[in-house]
Amino acid sequence: TFGMNFRTKSEAIIAELIHVAKIPFLSEAKLLLKDEFGRTKVKYPDFTFFPPGRGVLYWEHFGRMDSQQYRDDNFEKLSLYHYNDILPPDNLIITMERKDGSLDIAGINRIITGILMPLFYDAKGNPLF
């Protein structure tokens, strides 16, 4: 996918759609967070955005929700995000695959056009970056 590697097919599809919309992003960028005990934890959000004139925005896509370990690991990640004020809808986008493992492409496109594009483009389609 345009010279980048992704851990899952769904992440690659989402990245391709973001790329087509010409929205700059980082994939799996290192993020240092503090837990409730003050310990530093390292996480790697699926996508990180730096919209002009506002703080950082993260996007996490959850795929294998049929796996208890995957759910537990990601609930821990979401708890850590919450502790660090990374919350939807302010600075966190969360998407999931359907029960059958499919990806809602129309829903992903609504997020890109309705949430991300207004942060990176003005009403006339001119980039803000």
Side-chain angles (χ1 to χ4, degrees):
T1 306
F2 53 91
M4 296 178 82
N5 294 315
F6 298 92
R7 289 186 301 149
T8 69
K9 184 171 85 170
S10 292
E11 287 176 15
I13 292 168
I14 293 168
E16 183 67 32
L17 294 169
I18 296 167
H19 177 73
V20 167
K22 297 184 173 124
I23 297 171
F25 69 94
L26 299 176
S27 173
E28 302 283 339
K30 184 177 185 178
L31 176 62
L32 300 176
L33 300 170
K34 294 287 184 184
D35 70 9
E36 64 269 24
F37 305 107
R39 296 177 299 208
T40 300
K41 301 285 186 170
V42 178
K43 296 298 173 188
Y44 297 89
D46 294 326
F47 305 101
T48 303
F49 305 90
F50 299 93
R54 78 165 271 181
V56 182
L57 177 65
Y58 304 98
W59 184 336
E60 287 288 356
H61 178 75
F62 300 117
R64 299 180 2 249
M65 296 303 286
D66 58 327
S67 162
Q68 183 66 46
Q69 185 63 52
Y70 182 87
R71 288 193 309 269
D72 291 347
D73 292 346
N74 283 292
F75 183 75
E76 180 182 331
K77 181 189 278 189
L78 287 173
S79 296
L80 189 59
Y81 283 176
H82 182 266
Y83 188 77
N84 287 269
D85 292 321
I86 299 173
L87 305 166
D90 298 331
N91 52 5
L92 178 61
I93 297 168
I94 297 173
T95 53
M96 293 182 187
E97 292 175 12
R98 294 183 177 119
K99 186 176 177 181
D100 67 2
S102 65
L103 183 63
D104 180 2
I105 300 292
I108 299 298
N109 277 319
R110 284 192 300 275
I111 290 168
I112 292 168
T113 59
I115 296 173
L116 293 177
M117 289 187 75
L119 297 174
F120 288 92
Y121 292 90
D122 68 17
K124 294 181 181 180
N126 299 310
L128 299 171
F129 51 96

